[in-house]
Amino acid sequence: MNLEEAIKKSIRDVPDFPKPGILFKDITPIFYDQQLCSNIVDGFISRMDEMPDAIIGIESRGFLFGFLMANKLNIPFVLIRKSGKLPYKTLSHEYALEYGTSKIEIHEDALKPDCKVIIHDDLLATGGTAEAAACLVKKLGAKVAGFNFVVGLEFLNGKNKLINHSNNITCLVQY
Ligand code: AMP
């Protein structure tokens, strides 16, 4: 079984969560399988065409493989969190949701100017969250070298929002 097949076999579809009409891609069963987790980290790393200076993980499922990747590459891991969660001085970025807005934050000293980062999350849907993360990275003067996700929901065209920041976009599996 290749990596894509193994990931698809592990992901559990949960209909109507968190609200009616959403088919939630539950990645939690992946974490029961240590070998699959290692293969996912290696899969991300082997698809990188240049070594980033840091990995950015988006709250909260983006912390899981994001941190493992950074640790294996021996580079810093930086957290982007929802508003009000980070304790030190932050920069924030507000972005539109289907209904209303949301705000994410990063510590103001988290990235050196001009450093190149990969932005990671578990899943790319409309791309709004990852795009907001890219805006925050740029506010700190750093550069977006790419994005990576375990899952991409292709029919939502999230990549269109991200290509303005980087066309280096990896999804290990697509639906
Ligand atoms: P978006 O900003 O629309 O790309 O949404 C991406 C964020 O929402 C990620 O942090 C995902 O974890 C979460 N998300 C959106 N849709 C789903 C889905 N169908 N299944 C699981 N997570 C989702």
Side-chain angles (χ1 to χ4, degrees):
M1 200 173 4
N2 66 27
L3 181 60
E4 186 182 345
E5 288 163 347
I7 293 170
K8 283 196 166 173
K9 200 165 165 238
S10 239
I11 287 173
R12 176 166 52 198
D13 286 350
V14 182
D16 300 320
F17 183 87
K19 52 186 179 184
I22 305 281
L23 183 63
F24 194 86
K25 296 288 181 191
D26 177 19
I27 63 162
T28 61
I30 290 175
F31 300 103
Y32 308 152
D33 183 342
Q34 185 279 329
Q35 187 59 56
L36 179 56
C37 290
S38 292
N39 294 346
I40 287 173
V41 171
D42 291 344
F44 278 129
I45 290 173
S46 69
R47 285 163 177 77
M48 289 176 188
D49 37 43
E50 58 175 334
M51 177 77 168
D53 297 310
I55 303 284
I56 310 284
I58 302 176
E59 181 172 359
S60 59
R61 288 181 296 274
F63 295 165
L64 298 159
F65 287 114
F67 179 69
L68 287 177
M69 249 186 285
N71 197 252
K72 184 142 192 190
L73 289 170
N74 224 358
I75 58 175
F77 175 68
V78 174
L79 289 76
I80 282 186
R81 298 206 63 184
K82 287 170 190 139
S83 183
K85 301 278 187 184
L86 286 171
Y88 185 59
K89 293 177 204 157
T90 58
L91 285 186
S92 62
H93 187 81
E94 197 167 289
Y95 63 104
L97 295 175
E98 198 180 347
Y99 301 104
T101 60
S102 186
K103 205 197 264 183
I104 53 172
E105 294 181 339
I106 192 167
H107 274 147
E108 64 171 26
D109 62 352
L111 292 171
K112 293 194 179 76
D114 289 327
C115 74
K116 291 174 293 177
V117 307
I118 296 275
I119 294 173
H120 169 78
D121 203 356
D122 66 325
L123 183 139
L124 173 65
T126 66
T129 311
E131 186 191 26
C135 292
L136 261 186
V137 162
K138 287 181 170 174
K139 279 185 187 174
L140 281 183
K143 297 195 169 102
V144 180
F147 298 88
N148 65 31
F149 307 89
V150 181
V151 182
L153 302 182
E154 220 164 351
F155 57 93
L156 293 173
N157 299 315
K159 284 186 181 174
N160 292 347
K161 282 210 179 90
L162 306 184
I163 46 177
N164 299 330
H165 299 281
S166 169
N167 59 10
N168 175 21
I169 304 166
T170 296
C171 299
L172 296 180
V173 301
Q174 308 260 16
Y175 292 92

